[in-house]
Coordinates of all heavy atoms in Angstrom, one line a residue:
M940 N 62.0 109.9 -4.4 CA 60.7 110.1 -3.9 C 60.7 110.8 -2.6 O 61.3 110.3 -1.6 CB 60.1 108.7 -3.7 CG 60.0 107.9 -5.0 SD 58.8 106.6 -4.9 CE 59.0 105.9 -6.5
S941 N 60.1 112.0 -2.6 CA 60.4 112.9 -1.4 C 59.2 113.0 -0.4 O 59.4 113.5 0.7 CB 60.7 114.2 -1.9 OG 59.7 114.8 -2.7
H942 N 58.0 112.5 -0.8 CA 56.9 112.6 0.1 C 56.6 111.2 0.7 O 57.0 110.2 0.2 CB 55.6 113.1 -0.6 CG 55.7 114.5 -1.0 ND1 54.6 115.1 -1.6 CD2 56.7 115.4 -1.0 CE1 54.9 116.4 -1.9 NE2 56.2 116.6 -1.5
A943 N 56.0 111.2 1.9 CA 55.6 110.0 2.6 C 54.2 110.0 3.0 O 53.6 111.0 3.3 CB 56.5 109.8 3.8
V944 N 53.6 108.8 3.0 CA 52.3 108.5 3.7 C 52.6 107.4 4.7 O 53.0 106.3 4.3 CB 51.2 108.1 2.7 CG1 49.9 107.7 3.4 CG2 51.0 109.2 1.7
I945 N 52.4 107.7 5.9 CA 52.6 106.7 7.0 C 51.3 106.4 7.7 O 50.7 107.4 8.3 CB 53.7 107.3 8.0 CG1 55.0 107.7 7.2 CG2 54.0 106.3 9.1 CD1 56.0 108.5 8.0
V946 N 50.9 105.2 7.6 CA 49.6 104.8 8.1 C 49.8 104.1 9.5 O 50.5 103.1 9.6 CB 48.9 103.9 7.1 CG1 47.6 103.4 7.7 CG2 48.7 104.6 5.8
H947 N 49.1 104.6 10.5 CA 49.1 104.0 11.8 C 47.8 103.3 12.2 O 46.7 104.0 12.2 CB 49.4 105.1 12.9 CG 50.7 105.8 12.7 ND1 51.7 105.5 13.6 CD2 51.2 106.7 11.9 CE1 52.8 106.2 13.2 NE2 52.5 107.0 12.2
L948 N 47.8 102.0 12.4 CA 46.6 101.3 12.7 C 46.8 100.6 14.0 O 47.8 100.1 14.4 CB 46.4 100.2 11.6 CG 46.3 100.8 10.2 CD1 46.1 99.7 9.2 CD2 45.2 101.8 10.1
K949 N 45.7 100.6 14.8 CA 45.7 100.0 16.1 C 45.6 98.5 16.1 O 44.9 97.9 15.3 CB 44.5 100.5 16.9 CG 44.5 102.0 17.2 CD 43.3 102.4 18.0 CE 43.4 103.9 18.3 NZ 42.2 104.3 19.1
L950 N 46.3 97.8 17.0 CA 46.3 96.4 17.2 C 45.4 96.1 18.4 O 45.0 97.0 19.2 CB 47.7 95.9 17.5 CG 48.7 96.0 16.3 CD1 50.1 95.6 16.7 CD2 48.2 95.2 15.1
S951 N 45.1 94.8 18.6 CA 44.2 94.4 19.7 C 44.8 94.5 21.1 O 44.2 94.3 22.1 CB 43.6 93.0 19.4 OG 44.7 92.1 19.4
D952 N 46.2 94.6 21.1 CA 46.8 94.7 22.4 C 47.9 95.8 22.3 O 48.1 96.5 21.3 CB 47.4 93.4 22.9 CG 48.5 92.9 21.9 OD1 49.2 93.7 21.3 OD2 48.7 91.6 21.8
L953 N 48.6 96.0 23.4 CA 49.6 97.1 23.4 C 51.0 96.6 23.0 O 52.0 97.3 23.2 CB 49.7 97.7 24.9 CG 48.4 98.4 25.3 CD1 48.6 98.9 26.8 CD2 48.1 99.5 24.4
H954 N 51.0 95.5 22.4 CA 52.3 94.9 22.0 C 52.3 94.7 20.4 O 52.3 95.7 19.7 CB 52.6 93.6 22.7 CG 52.7 93.8 24.2 ND1 53.7 94.4 24.8 CD2 51.8 93.5 25.1 CE1 53.4 94.5 26.1 NE2 52.3 93.9 26.3
M955 N 52.3 93.5 20.0 CA 52.4 93.2 18.5 C 51.1 92.6 18.0 O 51.1 92.1 16.8 CB 53.6 92.3 18.2 CG 54.9 93.1 18.6 SD 56.4 92.2 18.1 CE 56.1 91.9 16.4
G956 N 50.0 92.5 18.7 CA 48.8 91.9 18.3 C 49.0 90.4 18.2 O 50.1 89.8 18.5
T957 N 48.0 89.7 17.8 CA 48.0 88.2 17.7 C 48.6 87.8 16.4 O 48.6 88.6 15.4 CB 46.6 87.6 17.9 OG1 45.8 88.0 16.8 CG2 45.9 88.0 19.2
E958 N 49.0 86.6 16.3 CA 49.5 86.0 15.0 C 48.4 86.1 13.9 O 48.7 86.5 12.8 CB 50.0 84.6 15.2 CG 50.6 84.1 13.9 CD 51.2 82.7 14.1 OE1 51.6 82.3 15.3 OE2 51.3 82.0 13.1
A959 N 47.2 85.7 14.3 CA 46.1 85.8 13.3 C 45.8 87.2 12.9 O 45.6 87.5 11.7 CB 44.8 85.2 13.9
E960 N 45.9 88.1 13.8 CA 45.7 89.6 13.5 C 46.8 90.1 12.5 O 46.5 90.8 11.5 CB 45.7 90.4 14.8 CG 45.4 91.8 14.6 CD 45.4 92.5 16.0 OE1 46.1 92.1 16.9 OE2 44.7 93.5 16.1
R961 N 48.0 89.7 12.8 CA 49.1 90.1 11.9 C 48.9 89.6 10.5 O 49.2 90.3 9.5 CB 50.5 89.7 12.5 CG 50.9 90.6 13.7 CD 52.3 90.3 14.1 NE 52.6 89.0 14.5 CZ 52.4 88.4 15.7 NH1 51.9 89.1 16.7 NH2 52.7 87.1 15.9
E962 N 48.4 88.4 10.4 CA 48.1 87.8 9.1 C 47.1 88.7 8.3 O 47.2 88.9 7.1 CB 47.7 86.4 9.2 CG 48.7 85.4 9.5 CD 49.9 85.3 8.5 OE1 49.6 85.4 7.3 OE2 51.0 85.3 8.9
Q963 N 46.1 89.2 9.0 CA 45.1 90.0 8.4 C 45.8 91.3 7.9 O 45.4 91.9 6.9 CB 44.0 90.4 9.4 CG 43.1 89.2 9.7 CD 42.1 89.5 10.8 OE1 42.3 90.4 11.6 NE2 40.9 88.8 10.7
F964 N 46.7 91.9 8.7 CA 47.4 93.1 8.3 C 48.3 92.8 7.1 O 48.4 93.7 6.3 CB 48.2 93.7 9.5 CG 47.3 94.5 10.4 CD1 46.8 93.9 11.6 CD2 47.1 95.8 10.1 CE1 46.0 94.7 12.4 CE2 46.3 96.6 11.0 CZ 45.8 96.0 12.1
F965 N 48.9 91.6 7.0 CA 49.7 91.3 5.8 C 48.8 91.3 4.6 O 49.2 91.7 3.5 CB 50.4 90.0 6.0 CG 51.5 90.0 7.1 CD1 51.7 89.0 7.9 CD2 52.3 91.2 7.3 CE1 52.6 89.0 8.9 CE2 53.3 91.2 8.2 CZ 53.4 90.1 9.1
E966 N 47.6 90.8 4.7 CA 46.6 90.8 3.6 C 46.3 92.2 3.2 O 46.2 92.6 2.0 CB 45.4 90.0 4.0 CG 45.6 88.5 4.1 CD 44.4 87.7 4.6 OE1 43.3 88.3 4.5 OE2 44.6 86.6 5.1
L967 N 46.0 93.1 4.2 CA 45.8 94.5 3.9 C 47.0 95.1 3.3 O 46.8 95.9 2.3 CB 45.4 95.2 5.2 CG 45.2 96.7 5.1 CD1 44.0 97.0 4.1 CD2 44.9 97.3 6.5
E968 N 48.1 94.8 3.7 CA 49.4 95.3 3.1 C 49.4 95.0 1.6 O 49.7 95.9 0.8 CB 50.6 94.7 3.8 CG 51.9 95.1 3.2 CD 53.1 94.5 4.0 OE1 53.3 94.9 5.2 OE2 53.8 93.7 3.4
Q969 N 49.1 93.8 1.2 CA 49.1 93.4 -0.2 C 48.0 94.2 -1.0 O 48.3 94.6 -2.1 CB 48.8 91.9 -0.4 CG 48.9 91.4 -1.8 CD 50.3 91.7 -2.4 OE1 51.3 91.3 -1.9 NE2 50.3 92.4 -3.5
Q970 N 46.9 94.4 -0.4 CA 45.8 95.2 -1.0 C 46.3 96.7 -1.2 O 46.1 97.3 -2.3 CB 44.6 95.2 -0.2 CG 43.9 93.9 -0.1 CD 42.7 93.9 0.9 OE1 42.3 94.9 1.3 NE2 42.3 92.7 1.2
L971 N 47.1 97.2 -0.3 CA 47.6 98.6 -0.4 C 48.6 98.6 -1.5 O 48.7 99.6 -2.3 CB 48.2 99.0 0.9 CG 47.2 99.2 2.1 CD1 48.0 99.5 3.4 CD2 46.2 100.4 1.8
M972 N 49.5 97.6 -1.6 CA 50.5 97.6 -2.6 C 49.8 97.5 -4.0 O 50.3 98.2 -4.9 CB 51.4 96.4 -2.5 CG 52.4 96.6 -1.3 SD 53.7 95.3 -1.3 CE 52.9 94.0 -0.5
D973 N 48.8 96.7 -4.1 CA 48.1 96.6 -5.4 C 47.4 97.9 -5.8 O 47.5 98.3 -6.9 CB 47.0 95.5 -5.3 CG 47.6 94.1 -5.2 OD1 48.8 93.9 -5.5 OD2 46.8 93.2 -4.8
A974 N 46.8 98.6 -4.8 CA 46.2 99.9 -5.1 C 47.2 101.0 -5.4 O 46.9 101.8 -6.3 CB 45.3 100.3 -3.9
L975 N 48.3 100.9 -4.8 CA 49.3 102.0 -5.1 C 49.9 101.8 -6.5 O 50.2 102.8 -7.1 CB 50.5 101.8 -4.0 CG 51.5 102.9 -4.0 CD1 50.9 104.3 -3.9 CD2 52.5 102.6 -2.9
G976 N 50.1 100.6 -6.9 CA 50.6 100.4 -8.3 C 51.9 101.1 -8.5 O 52.8 101.1 -7.7
E977 N 52.0 101.8 -9.6 CA 53.3 102.5 -10.1 C 53.3 103.9 -9.5 O 54.3 104.6 -9.9 CB 53.4 102.5 -11.6 CG 53.4 101.1 -12.2 CD 54.7 100.3 -11.8 OE1 55.8 101.0 -11.8 OE2 54.6 99.1 -11.5
D978 N 52.3 104.3 -8.8 CA 52.3 105.7 -8.3 C 53.0 106.0 -7.0 O 52.9 107.1 -6.5 CB 50.8 106.2 -8.2 CG 50.1 106.3 -9.5 OD1 50.7 106.9 -10.4 OD2 49.0 105.7 -9.6
G979 N 53.8 105.0 -6.6 CA 54.6 105.2 -5.3 C 55.3 103.9 -5.0 O 55.2 102.9 -5.7
E980 N 55.9 103.9 -3.8 CA 56.6 102.8 -3.4 C 56.1 102.4 -2.0 O 56.1 103.2 -1.1 CB 58.1 103.1 -3.3 CG 59.0 102.1 -2.6 CD 60.4 102.5 -2.4 OE1 60.8 103.6 -2.9 OE2 61.1 101.8 -1.7
F981 N 55.7 101.1 -1.8 CA 55.4 100.6 -0.5 C 56.7 100.1 0.1 O 57.4 99.2 -0.4 CB 54.4 99.4 -0.6 CG 53.8 99.0 0.7 CD1 52.6 99.6 1.1 CD2 54.5 98.2 1.5 CE1 52.0 99.2 2.3 CE2 53.9 97.8 2.8 CZ 52.7 98.4 3.2
D982 N 57.0 100.6 1.3 CA 58.3 100.4 1.9 C 58.3 99.5 3.1 O 59.3 99.4 3.8 CB 59.1 101.7 2.1 CG 60.5 101.5 2.4 OD1 61.2 100.7 1.8 OD2 61.1 102.2 3.3
G983 N 57.2 98.9 3.4 CA 57.2 97.9 4.5 C 56.3 98.3 5.6 O 55.5 99.2 5.6
N984 N 56.4 97.5 6.7 CA 55.6 97.7 7.9 C 56.4 97.6 9.2 O 57.6 97.2 9.1 CB 54.5 96.6 7.9 CG 55.1 95.2 8.0 OD1 55.8 94.9 9.0 ND2 54.7 94.3 7.1
E985 N 55.7 97.9 10.2 CA 56.4 97.8 11.6 C 55.3 97.5 12.6 O 54.3 98.2 12.6 CB 57.1 99.1 11.9 CG 57.8 99.2 13.2 CD 58.5 100.5 13.4 OE1 59.5 100.7 12.6 OE2 58.1 101.3 14.2
F986 N 55.5 96.5 13.3 CA 54.5 96.1 14.4 C 55.2 96.3 15.7 O 56.4 96.0 16.0 CB 54.2 94.6 14.3 CG 53.3 94.2 13.1 CD1 53.8 94.0 11.9 CD2 51.9 94.2 13.3 CE1 53.0 93.6 10.8 CE2 51.1 93.9 12.2 CZ 51.7 93.6 11.0
G987 N 54.4 96.9 16.7 CA 54.9 97.0 18.0 C 54.2 98.2 18.7 O 53.7 99.1 18.1
G988 N 54.3 98.2 20.0 CA 53.7 99.3 20.8 C 52.2 99.5 20.6 O 51.6 100.5 20.7
G989 N 51.5 98.4 20.2 CA 50.1 98.4 20.0 C 49.6 98.9 18.7 O 48.4 99.2 18.5
E990 N 50.5 99.0 17.7 CA 50.1 99.5 16.4 C 50.9 98.8 15.3 O 52.0 98.3 15.5 CB 50.2 101.0 16.3 CG 51.6 101.6 16.2 CD 51.6 103.1 16.1 OE1 50.5 103.7 16.0 OE2 52.6 103.6 16.0
C991 N 50.3 98.8 14.1 CA 50.9 98.4 12.8 C 51.1 99.7 12.0 O 50.1 100.5 11.9 CB 50.0 97.4 12.1 SG 50.6 97.1 10.4
V992 N 52.3 99.9 11.5 CA 52.6 101.1 10.7 C 53.0 100.7 9.3 O 53.9 99.8 9.2 CB 53.7 102.0 11.4 CG1 53.9 103.2 10.6 CG2 53.3 102.3 12.8
F993 N 52.3 101.2 8.3 CA 52.7 101.0 6.9 C 53.4 102.3 6.4 O 52.9 103.4 6.6 CB 51.5 100.7 6.1 CG 50.8 99.4 6.4 CD1 49.4 99.4 6.7 CD2 51.5 98.2 6.4 CE1 48.8 98.2 6.9 CE2 50.8 97.0 6.7 CZ 49.5 97.0 7.0
Y994 N 54.4 102.1 5.6 CA 55.2 103.2 5.1 C 55.1 103.1 3.5 O 55.4 102.1 2.9 CB 56.7 103.0 5.5 CG 56.9 103.1 6.9 CD1 56.9 101.9 7.7 CD2 57.1 104.3 7.6 CE1 57.1 102.0 9.1 CE2 57.3 104.4 8.9 CZ 57.3 103.2 9.7 OH 57.5 103.3 11.1
M995 N 54.7 104.3 3.0 CA 54.6 104.5 1.5 C 55.2 105.8 1.1 O 55.1 106.8 1.9 CB 53.1 104.4 1.1 CG 52.5 103.0 1.3 SD 50.7 103.0 1.1 CE 50.3 103.5 2.8
Y996 N 55.9 105.8 0.0 CA 56.6 107.0 -0.5 C 56.2 107.3 -1.9 O 55.9 106.4 -2.7 CB 58.1 106.8 -0.3 CG 58.5 106.6 1.1 CD1 58.6 105.3 1.6 CD2 58.7 107.7 1.9 CE1 59.0 105.1 2.9 CE2 59.0 107.5 3.3 CZ 59.2 106.2 3.8 OH 59.5 106.0 5.1
G997 N 56.3 108.6 -2.3 CA 56.1 108.9 -3.7 C 56.4 110.4 -3.9 O 56.7 111.1 -3.0
E998 N 56.3 110.8 -5.1 CA 56.5 112.2 -5.5 C 55.4 113.2 -5.0 O 55.7 114.4 -4.8 CB 56.7 112.4 -7.0 CG 57.9 111.7 -7.6 CD 59.2 112.2 -7.0 OE1 59.3 113.4 -6.7 OE2 60.1 111.4 -6.8
D999 N 54.2 112.6 -4.7 CA 53.1 113.4 -4.3 C 52.3 112.6 -3.2 O 51.6 111.7 -3.5 CB 52.2 113.7 -5.5 CG 51.0 114.5 -5.2 OD1 50.6 114.7 -4.0 OD2 50.3 115.0 -6.2
A1000 N 52.4 113.1 -2.0 CA 51.8 112.4 -0.8 C 50.3 112.3 -1.0 O 49.6 111.3 -0.7 CB 52.1 113.1 0.5
D1001 N 49.7 113.4 -1.6 CA 48.2 113.4 -1.8 C 47.8 112.3 -2.8 O 46.8 111.6 -2.6 CB 47.8 114.7 -2.3 CG 47.9 115.8 -1.2 OD1 47.7 115.5 0.0 OD2 48.2 117.0 -1.6
L1002 N 48.6 112.1 -3.9 CA 48.3 111.1 -4.8 C 48.4 109.7 -4.2 O 47.6 108.8 -4.4 CB 49.2 111.2 -6.1 CG 49.1 110.1 -7.1 CD1 47.7 110.0 -7.7 CD2 50.2 110.2 -8.2
V1003 N 49.5 109.5 -3.5 CA 49.7 108.2 -2.8 C 48.5 107.9 -1.9 O 48.0 106.8 -1.9 CB 51.0 108.2 -2.0 CG1 51.1 107.0 -1.1 CG2 52.2 108.3 -2.9
F1004 N 48.1 108.9 -1.1 CA 47.0 108.7 -0.2 C 45.7 108.4 -1.0 O 44.9 107.5 -0.6 CB 46.8 109.8 0.8 CG 45.7 109.6 1.7 CD1 45.8 108.6 2.7 CD2 44.5 110.3 1.7 CE1 44.8 108.3 3.6 CE2 43.4 110.0 2.6 CZ 43.6 109.1 3.5
R1005 N 45.4 109.1 -2.0 CA 44.2 108.9 -2.9 C 44.2 107.5 -3.4 O 43.2 106.9 -3.5 CB 44.1 109.9 -4.0 CG 43.6 111.2 -3.6 CD 43.2 112.1 -4.8 NE 44.2 112.2 -5.8 CZ 45.1 113.1 -5.9 NH1 45.2 114.0 -4.9 NH2 46.0 113.2 -6.9
K1006 N 45.4 107.0 -3.8 CA 45.4 105.6 -4.3 C 45.1 104.5 -3.3 O 44.5 103.5 -3.7 CB 46.8 105.3 -4.9 CG 47.2 106.2 -6.0 CD 46.4 106.0 -7.3 CE 46.9 104.7 -8.0 NZ 46.4 104.5 -9.3
V1007 N 45.4 104.8 -2.0 CA 45.1 103.7 -1.0 C 44.0 104.0 -0.1 O 43.6 103.1 0.7 CB 46.4 103.5 -0.2 CG1 47.6 103.0 -1.1 CG2 46.8 104.7 0.6
A1008 N 43.4 105.2 -0.1 CA 42.4 105.6 0.8 C 41.2 104.7 0.8 O 40.7 104.4 1.9 CB 42.0 107.1 0.6
S1009 N 40.7 104.3 -0.3 CA 39.5 103.5 -0.4 C 39.7 102.1 0.2 O 38.8 101.6 0.9 CB 38.9 103.4 -1.8 OG 39.8 102.7 -2.6
V1010 N 40.9 101.6 0.0 CA 41.3 100.3 0.6 C 41.3 100.4 2.2 O 40.7 99.6 2.9 CB 42.6 99.8 0.1 CG1 43.1 98.6 0.9 CG2 42.6 99.5 -1.3
L1011 N 41.9 101.5 2.7 CA 42.0 101.7 4.1 C 40.6 101.9 4.7 O 40.2 101.4 5.7 CB 42.9 102.9 4.4 CG 44.4 102.6 4.1 CD1 45.1 104.0 4.2 CD2 44.9 101.7 5.2
R1012 N 39.8 102.8 4.1 CA 38.5 103.2 4.6 C 37.5 102.0 4.6 O 36.5 102.0 5.3 CB 38.0 104.4 3.9 CG 38.8 105.6 4.3 CD 38.1 106.9 4.0 NE 38.8 108.0 4.7 CZ 39.4 109.0 4.0 NH1 39.4 109.0 2.7 NH2 40.0 109.9 4.7
S1013 N 37.7 101.1 3.7 CA 36.8 99.9 3.6 C 37.2 98.8 4.5 O 36.5 97.8 4.7 CB 36.7 99.4 2.2 OG 37.9 98.9 1.7
S1014 N 38.4 98.9 5.2 CA 38.9 97.8 6.0 C 38.6 98.1 7.5 O 38.9 99.1 8.0 CB 40.4 97.7 5.9 OG 40.9 96.7 6.8
P1015 N 38.0 97.1 8.2 CA 37.7 97.2 9.6 C 39.0 97.3 10.4 O 39.0 97.9 11.5 CB 37.0 95.9 10.0 CG 36.7 95.2 8.7 CD 37.5 95.8 7.6
L1016 N 40.1 96.9 9.8 CA 41.4 97.0 10.5 C 41.9 98.4 10.7 O 42.7 98.8 11.6 CB 42.5 96.2 9.8 CG 42.3 94.7 9.6 CD1 43.4 94.1 8.7 CD2 42.4 94.1 11.0
A1017 N 41.4 99.3 9.8 CA 41.8 100.7 9.8 C 41.0 101.6 10.8 O 41.3 102.8 11.0 CB 41.7 101.3 8.4
R1018 N 39.9 101.1 11.3 CA 39.1 101.9 12.2 C 39.9 102.4 13.4 O 40.6 101.6 14.1 CB 37.9 101.1 12.7 CG 36.9 100.8 11.7 CD 35.5 100.3 12.2 NE 34.7 100.0 11.1 CZ 34.4 98.7 10.8 NH1 34.7 97.7 11.6 NH2 33.6 98.5 9.7
G1019 N 39.8 103.7 13.7 CA 40.5 104.3 14.8 C 42.0 104.7 14.4 O 42.7 105.2 15.2
G1020 N 42.4 104.3 13.2 CA 43.7 104.6 12.8 C 43.8 106.0 12.1 O 42.8 106.7 12.0
F1021 N 45.0 106.3 11.6 CA 45.2 107.6 10.8 C 46.3 107.4 9.9 O 47.2 106.6 10.0 CB 45.4 108.7 11.8 CG 46.7 108.7 12.6 CD1 47.9 109.3 12.1 CD2 46.8 108.0 13.8 CE1 49.1 109.2 12.8 CE2 48.0 108.0 14.5 CZ 49.1 108.6 14.0
A1022 N 46.3 108.3 8.9 CA 47.4 108.4 7.9 C 48.1 109.8 8.1 O 47.4 110.8 8.3 CB 46.9 108.3 6.5
L1023 N 49.4 109.8 8.0 CA 50.1 111.0 8.1 C 50.8 111.3 6.8 O 51.6 110.4 6.3 CB 51.2 110.9 9.2 CG 52.0 112.1 9.5 CD1 51.1 113.2 10.2 CD2 53.2 111.8 10.4
M1024 N 50.4 112.3 6.1 CA 51.0 112.7 4.8 C 52.1 113.7 5.2 O 51.9 114.7 5.8 CB 50.0 113.4 3.9 CG 49.2 112.4 3.1 SD 48.0 111.5 4.1 CE 46.7 112.7 4.4
R1025 N 53.3 113.4 4.7 CA 54.5 114.2 4.9 C 55.0 114.8 3.6 O 55.3 114.0 2.7 CB 55.6 113.4 5.6 CG 56.7 114.2 6.1 CD 57.6 113.3 7.0 NE 58.4 113.9 8.0 CZ 59.2 114.9 7.8 NH1 59.2 115.6 6.7 NH2 60.0 115.4 8.8
Y1026 N 55.0 116.1 3.5 CA 55.3 116.8 2.2 C 56.8 117.3 2.2 O 57.0 118.5 2.3 CB 54.4 117.9 2.0 CG 52.9 117.5 2.0 CD1 52.1 117.5 3.1 CD2 52.3 117.0 0.8 CE1 50.8 117.1 3.1 CE2 51.0 116.6 0.8 CZ 50.3 116.6 2.0 OH 49.0 116.2 2.0
G1027 N 57.7 116.3 2.1 CA 59.1 116.7 2.1 C 60.0 115.5 2.4 O 59.5 114.5 2.8
D1028 N 61.2 115.7 2.2 CA 62.2 114.7 2.5 C 62.2 114.2 3.9 O 61.9 115.0 4.8 CB 63.6 115.2 2.1 CG 64.6 114.1 2.2 OD1 64.8 113.5 1.1 OD2 65.2 113.9 3.2
V1029 N 62.4 112.9 4.1 CA 62.4 112.4 5.5 C 63.4 113.0 6.4 O 63.2 113.1 7.6 CB 62.6 110.8 5.4 CG1 64.0 110.5 5.0 CG2 62.3 110.2 6.7
L1030 N 64.5 113.6 5.8 CA 65.5 114.3 6.7 C 65.2 115.7 6.9 O 65.8 116.4 7.7 CB 66.8 114.2 6.0 CG 67.4 112.7 5.7 CD1 68.7 112.8 5.0 CD2 67.5 112.0 7.1
D1031 N 64.1 116.2 6.3 CA 63.7 117.6 6.5 C 62.8 117.7 7.7 O 61.6 117.4 7.7 CB 63.0 118.1 5.3 CG 62.5 119.6 5.4 OD1 62.7 120.2 6.5 OD2 61.9 120.1 4.4
G1032 N 63.3 118.2 8.9 CA 62.6 118.3 10.1 C 61.5 119.3 10.0 O 60.6 119.4 10.9
D1033 N 61.5 120.2 9.0 CA 60.5 121.2 8.9 C 59.4 120.9 7.8 O 58.6 121.8 7.5 CB 61.1 122.6 8.6 CG 62.0 123.1 9.7 OD1 61.6 122.9 10.9 OD2 63.1 123.6 9.4
A1034 N 59.5 119.7 7.3 CA 58.5 119.4 6.2 C 57.1 119.4 6.8 O 56.9 118.9 7.9 CB 58.8 118.0 5.6
P1035 N 56.1 120.0 6.1 CA 54.8 120.0 6.6 C 54.1 118.6 6.6 O 54.5 117.8 5.8 CB 54.0 121.0 5.6 CG 54.9 121.1 4.4 CD 56.3 120.7 4.8
E1036 N 53.2 118.4 7.5 CA 52.5 117.2 7.7 C 51.0 117.4 7.9 O 50.7 118.4 8.5 CB 53.0 116.4 8.9 CG 54.5 116.0 8.8 CD 55.0 115.2 10.0 OE1 54.3 115.3 11.1 OE2 56.0 114.6 9.9
V1037 N 50.2 116.5 7.3 CA 48.8 116.6 7.5 C 48.3 115.2 8.0 O 48.7 114.2 7.4 CB 48.1 116.9 6.2 CG1 46.6 116.8 6.3 CG2 48.4 118.3 5.7
R1038 N 47.5 115.2 9.0 CA 47.0 113.9 9.6 C 45.5 113.7 9.1 O 44.7 114.7 9.3 CB 47.1 114.0 11.1 CG 46.6 112.7 11.8 CD 46.8 112.9 13.3 NE 46.0 111.9 14.0 CZ 46.5 111.3 15.1 NH1 47.6 111.6 15.7 NH2 45.7 110.4 15.7
E1039 N 45.2 112.6 8.6 CA 43.9 112.2 8.1 C 43.4 111.0 8.9 O 44.0 110.0 8.9 CB 44.0 111.9 6.7 CG 42.7 111.5 6.0 CD 41.8 112.7 5.6 OE1 42.4 113.8 5.5 OE2 40.6 112.5 5.5
A1040 N 42.3 111.2 9.6 CA 41.6 110.1 10.4 C 41.1 109.1 9.4 O 40.6 109.5 8.3 CB 40.5 110.7 11.3
L1041 N 41.2 107.9 9.8 CA 40.6 106.8 9.0 C 39.4 106.3 9.7 O 38.5 105.7 9.5 CB 41.6 105.6 8.8 CG 42.9 106.1 8.1 CD1 43.9 105.0 8.1 CD2 42.6 106.4 6.6

């Protein structure tokens, strides 16, 4: 799987957010996994520095984003966030990227 969709969402503070807030993000994570289905791989999350980052991979970054976009856009947790579509291998420093505001 050579393309990536990396979703950056803001937390309520500049650190790791509250425990209750993280629980909401875990619920959103499950919704993203359900929406993605067999069209890609959900590879986890990262909390810190005032944001939650979700990592998804697949053969086609546009398809991966289309599968999860409605879940993200309907979630208040995604307001002010963005998705980064990366069209190439993670080790390819020249792979093109497109940023999509949420």
Side-chain angles (χ1 to χ4, degrees):
M940 299 199 181
S941 59
H942 291 186
V944 175
I945 304 168
V946 177
H947 295 258
L948 305 177
K949 293 180 180 181
L950 297 172
S951 61
D952 63 30
L953 296 176
H954 302 286
M955 294 186 57
T957 66
E958 185 176 335
E960 183 179 31
R961 286 190 301 276
E962 287 300 321
Q963 292 176 329
F964 278 97
F965 294 140
E966 291 173 18
L967 177 59
E968 179 179 291
Q969 184 60 54
Q970 293 171 12
L971 294 171
M972 286 190 278
D973 292 344
L975 186 57
E977 299 294 317
D978 291 311
E980 173 187 347
F981 191 96
D982 194 37
N984 64 55
E985 182 175 292
F986 288 86
E990 68 178 2
C991 171
V992 181
F993 292 128
Y994 298 91
M995 294 167 272
Y996 300 93
E998 295 299 324
D999 180 347
D1001 292 326
L1002 174 62
V1003 171
F1004 183 68
R1005 279 194 309 273
K1006 296 292 283 191
V1007 300
S1009 64
V1010 171
L1011 290 166
R1012 291 200 167 112
S1013 67
S1014 174
L1016 297 172
R1018 288 194 188 112
F1021 67 92
L1023 185 68
M1024 277 72 74
R1025 190 170 203 316
Y1026 302 95
D1028 188 87
V1029 69
L1030 299 176
D1031 179 359
D1033 295 323
E1036 297 179 343
V1037 172
R1038 182 178 165 145
E1039 178 82 21
L1041 300 169

